[in-house]
Amino acid sequence: MYGILSSIHDASSVFKNTSNKKDIVAWNAIISAFLHNGHGPEAIKYYVYLQRSGNVRPNSVTFVSLLKACSESAPNQTKLVHICIIKNGFESNAYIGSMLIDIYAKRGNLEDAQRTFERLSKEDVATWNSMITGFICCEHFEEALQLFTQLPKHNVKPNNLTLVAIMQACSDIFVLDGGRLIHSYIIRNNITLNTFISSSLIDMYTRCGGLEDAQNIFDNLYRKDVVSWNAMIAGYTQHGLGWEALCLFSKMCRYQCCKPDEATFVIASKACSIMTMLESGRCIHSHIVEAGHESPTLINNTLIYMYSTCGNIQDACHVFKRMSSHDTWTWNAIISGISENGEYNLASDYFRKMREGGVDPIYVTFVPMLSLCSQQGLLDEGCSLFRSARECDGVPPTVELYNCMVDVLGRVGYLHLAEEILLTIPFEFNLLGWMSLLTNCKTHNNIEVGKRFFDDLVDFSAAKKLNEISTWEKNQQHT
């Protein structure tokens, strides 16, 4: 009771004042109390006290609580808890084993996750689900698919969680044939197309390029909920079919049984950006206001992007100013939008306010501003921005960033300085940067320097090709 009321002090006092012979129920209660109130390390500490007491043996409930503590706030204690689980004979427990697999996988430790899986009975589908989702979590999608194919050998039938997970794996590596096999399995086994299954199928087909299949599933759904509508609208948007997405959004608004949610408005706003349809964007904005979804940061960030893409900086700035708080992506949206519309002074003003507000820029904050400096021949401003980017801890030295600076220097005729950057760039061969420099040589009619750059480019290309051939030959020798 005290643990649920968040009074850890009282819970601890009651526990300490009980008789010396505390049973496992009392120990589990105090461990659970600390866990419930976000004190994972303290929960594990009380397990140590339990062990020292010497007269009480932990049970499965104890270890479930300890693993929850590891998952939420004490991941470094997982292996120690795992050892205790083995010592107390609970490693074969399917639920505990699944929790261990999940924790290891989320930490990127697939080796221990697989080792745990191999020691478990293969009769429980939950165990398989944990390992499959573990592979997916670590982006080992092919291993997830391979594990799924082993289910029939162990007479295990996949459940909805299995199917949704494996469809995600197919989506992430764009395996349309694999997705169709899953769909075929669902049909053969008369599995009901509930929200999760239907939306996962639609998402899988759209991401793998099977828009027609996705539309057929959507059209044949007996009851369409907001998740299904969002999946189909998002599918058209992902493929650049903004008009089709907006038509579907309009149809959804007329569909009385289902109202758009925040995700719907975000997707529809992106569709307007694709089509640069300002009036449709304004219409969606009015829908957002009417539905009372004007506050969420993600919706406002998308509106800023939409208005900027449609060339309406005034409305983009209006949305920004009405927001009560701004995250990094809000600042990036407004700065990028203004930069892409060619207004450097205004973009610079927002950039300054971003820094003054204690928000650190990321590399995508700098790229559009540097591109604008290049287009407008703003050498000093470009150099200052590039220097700021290199001094920011959170900004990695990306090729895109360096290429922008090469173009800034090249456009104003500082060809040798641009060449120096390309020669000292901390990356492998950079074709785009050299092509940019050659273009600027042509612009400034500097044939002599351009010829030298061209020769360097040919040499670099040849060296890269020779290196690729050498690497391939070495690999062949080892196979």
Side-chain angles (χ1 to χ4, degrees), residues 351 355 361 366 381-393 395 401:
F351 182 78
R355 301 300 295 269
F366 289 99
E381 292 84 348
C383 290
S384 177
L385 278 169
F386 187 68
R387 195 179 305 112
S388 295
R390 295 187 65 180
E391 290 170 356
C392 280
D393 292 334
V395 180
L401 203 61

Side-chain angles (χ1 to χ4, degrees), residues 159-456:
N159 60 15
N160 286 357
L161 289 175
T162 324
L163 296 170
V164 169
I166 212 67
M167 280 188 279
Q168 182 188 335
C170 292
S171 300
D172 287 327
I173 54 175
F174 311 110
V175 182
L176 182 58
D177 289 340
R180 282 183 171 143
L181 285 173
I182 305 299
H183 190 187
S184 175
Y185 176 89
I186 291 168
I187 294 169
R188 288 198 315 273
N189 290 274
N190 296 315
I191 295 171
T192 305
L193 287 184
N194 60 26
T195 296
F196 298 109
I197 296 289
S198 60
S199 58
S200 295
L201 276 170
I202 292 168
D203 179 66
M204 180 274 297
Y205 274 126
T206 55
R207 290 178 66 184
C208 294
L211 268 176
E212 189 175 340
D213 291 313
Q215 186 67 60
N216 286 336
I217 292 169
F218 179 78
D219 290 340
N220 289 313
L221 286 176
Y222 175 71
R223 181 173 293 175
K224 300 176 178 68
D225 61 10
V226 68
V227 179
S228 306
W229 283 97
N230 287 351
M232 196 64 240
I233 296 169
Y236 281 121
T237 304
Q238 288 162 12
H239 284 269
L241 301 172
W243 177 253
E244 288 81 353
L246 290 173
C247 287
L248 201 57
F249 171 77
S250 179
K251 187 177 179 181
M252 179 186 184
C253 291
R254 297 193 301 270
Y255 191 72
Q256 297 298 317
C257 298
C258 186
K259 292 182 179 180
D261 62 6
E262 291 177 18
T264 320
F265 289 124
V266 168
I267 299 163
S269 297
K270 287 180 180 177
C272 292
S273 301
I274 291 169
M275 301 296 292
T276 59
M277 296 176 66
L278 180 58
E279 291 308 314
S280 294
R282 282 178 170 156
C283 181
I284 287 167
H285 193 173
S286 67
H287 275 294
I288 291 169
V289 175
E290 288 172 11
H293 291 301
E294 205 174 5
S295 299
T297 301
L298 180 58
I299 283 183
N300 284 300
N301 290 352
T302 312
L303 284 172
I304 290 169
Y305 176 76
M306 182 272 295
Y307 279 124
S308 301
T309 305
C310 294
N312 191 327
I313 291 301
Q314 186 177 354
D315 281 347
C317 291
H318 180 68
V319 172
F320 181 90
K321 289 171 182 175
R322 285 179 59 88
M323 293 175 68
S324 57
S325 61
H326 309 100
D327 62 14
T328 303
W329 297 106
T330 313
W331 287 102
N332 286 333
I334 193 67
I335 292 169
S336 299
I338 295 169
S339 299
E340 287 165 7
N341 280 274
E343 298 190 28
Y344 179 81
N345 289 336
L346 186 57
S348 181
D349 185 45
Y350 273 94
F351 182 78
R352 177 182 54 78
K353 289 176 181 176
M354 177 186 188
R355 301 300 295 269
E356 289 173 353
V359 180
D360 292 326
I362 56 179
Y363 93 95
V364 292
T365 318
F366 289 99
V367 169
M369 291 189 70
L370 276 170
S371 296
L372 182 57
C373 289
S374 172
Q375 294 164 18
Q376 298 187 356
L378 303 173
L379 176 62
D380 293 340
E381 292 84 348
C383 290
S384 177
L385 278 169
F386 187 68
R387 195 179 305 112
S388 295
R390 295 187 65 180
E391 290 170 356
C392 280
D393 292 334
V395 180
T398 63
V399 174
E400 195 175 9
L401 203 61
Y402 274 84
N403 283 346
C404 284
M405 193 59 217
V406 166
D407 204 44
V408 169
L409 293 167
R411 289 214 187 195
V412 295
Y414 285 80
L415 302 174
H416 293 290
L417 283 175
E419 179 191 20
E420 190 177 322
I421 287 180
L422 283 173
L423 292 172
T424 58
I425 199 168
F427 305 101
E428 291 184 3
F429 176 69
N430 176 18
L431 177 62
L432 192 61
W434 284 102
M435 292 301 294
S436 168
L437 197 50
L438 278 172
T439 301
N440 286 318
C441 285
K442 182 179 178 182
T443 301
H444 293 282
N445 200 27
N446 197 328
I447 298 172
E448 183 182 343
V449 175
K451 186 179 184 304
R452 182 164 60 80
F453 288 162
F454 179 78
D455 292 339
D456 288 342

